[in-house]
Amino acid sequence: VQLVESGGGLVQPGGSLRLSCAASGFTFSRYDMFWVRQAPGKALEWVSTIRASGFPRSYTNSVQGRFTISRDNARNTLYLQMNSLKTEDTAVYYCARDLRVLTGAAKLSGQGTQVTVSS
């Protein structure tokens, strides 16, 4: 299993970024996928879920209405469109296929991509 995140960077509050996650080593289209993030000094936090078929999608309350998760099963790629970014969105963002990464029962497969929201 390999997951490679990209698309992070430095953005001002109110700005936008689109994260991508390239998946390989498994049948991507058969798995629900997740975005999680880790802010400095804090634990991993669930951000969003998308089912294998593309629907339904769910979001943590703090990003609802600002972030959109999507996937392209033909390209084995997961996306996270982030709009109206806030300073509290600053974190390393990871994609995952196993939400047990939140408890440590599963390991993150990628290196993550840094998102910094700052003026």
Side-chain angles (χ1 to χ4, degrees), residues 34-37 44-49 58-60 99 102:
F34 313 93
W35 284 101
V36 299
R37 66 185 180 185
L44 273 173
E45 173 192 26
W46 170 73
V47 175
S48 184
T49 297
S58 56
Y59 304 91
T60 191
L99 208 52
L102 297 178

Side-chain angles (χ1 to χ4, degrees), residues 3-78:
L3 299 169
V4 180
E5 302 92 347
S6 62
L10 173 64
V11 62
Q12 292 186 340
S16 298
L17 284 172
R18 188 193 194 203
L19 306 185
S20 298
C21 169
S24 61
F26 65 102
T27 306
F28 178 75
S29 61
R30 294 183 181 177
Y31 285 83
D32 300 342
M33 293 295 296
F34 313 93
W35 284 101
V36 299
R37 66 185 180 185
Q38 188 164 28
K42 296 188 177 180
L44 273 173
E45 173 192 26
W46 170 73
V47 175
S48 184
T49 297
I50 186 167
R51 298 303 182 190
S53 65
F55 293 94
R57 310 172 187 186
S58 56
Y59 304 91
T60 191
N61 287 343
S62 62
V63 309
Q64 181 76 45
R66 300 188 296 120
F67 290 12
T68 302
I69 191 171
S70 62
R71 66 191 296 160
D72 185 338
N73 285 344
R75 299 187 180 210
N76 292 340
T77 304
L78 178 72

Side-chain angles (χ1 to χ4, degrees), residues 7-19 37 47 62-63 65-68 80-91 93 114-119:
L10 173 64
V11 62
Q12 292 186 340
S16 298
L17 284 172
R18 188 193 194 203
L19 306 185
R37 66 185 180 185
V47 175
S62 62
V63 309
R66 300 188 296 120
F67 290 12
T68 302
L80 186 68
Q81 177 67 44
M82 306 187 296
N83 298 330
S84 302
L85 283 161
K86 303 177 180 180
T87 56
E88 52 264 43
D89 294 319
T90 295
Y93 285 71
Q114 175 72 50
V115 172
T116 303
V117 185
S118 175
S119 55

